[in-house]
Amino acid sequence: MIRIKLDVMMAERKMSLNKLSELVDSTPANLSILKNEKGKAIRFTTLDTLCKALGCQPGDLMEYIDE
């Protein structure tokens, strides 16, 4: 299972969902799906913009958990 750690990265940077949505040009609803780990996939372009906005690497946003 892949866990998305968007909530952790946002908290570390004290960034709101609305502010992040402005920076990555996505709706708060779409980011909320990722943040709450309800999404089934993520585009590389979305991952790229999230990494730029949060100043992180893709591995900072995702974690593999062996079930």
Side-chain angles (χ1 to χ4, degrees), residues 16-62:
S16 71
L17 193 62
N18 287 333
K19 178 63 178 174
L20 183 60
S21 73
E22 290 173 15
L23 292 173
V24 300
D25 195 29
S26 183
T27 65
N30 284 340
L31 291 178
S32 181
I33 289 169
L34 285 176
K35 182 179 171 222
N36 294 315
E37 300 185 62
K38 302 293 183 194
K40 301 289 183 197
I42 185 169
R43 293 178 186 265
F44 282 117
T45 54
T46 303
L47 186 57
D48 181 59
T49 56
L50 284 171
C51 287
K52 285 178 186 172
L54 294 167
C56 66
Q57 295 293 313
D60 298 329
L61 289 171
M62 296 182 277

Side-chain angles (χ1 to χ4, degrees), residues 1-5 7-8 37 59 61-67:
M1 175 173 106
I2 302 292
R3 179 174 179 264
I4 301 296
K5 302 187 298 182
D7 56 341
V8 173
E37 300 185 62
L61 289 171
M62 296 182 277
E63 174 183 31
Y64 174 72
I65 299 171
D66 190 9
E67 295 178 358

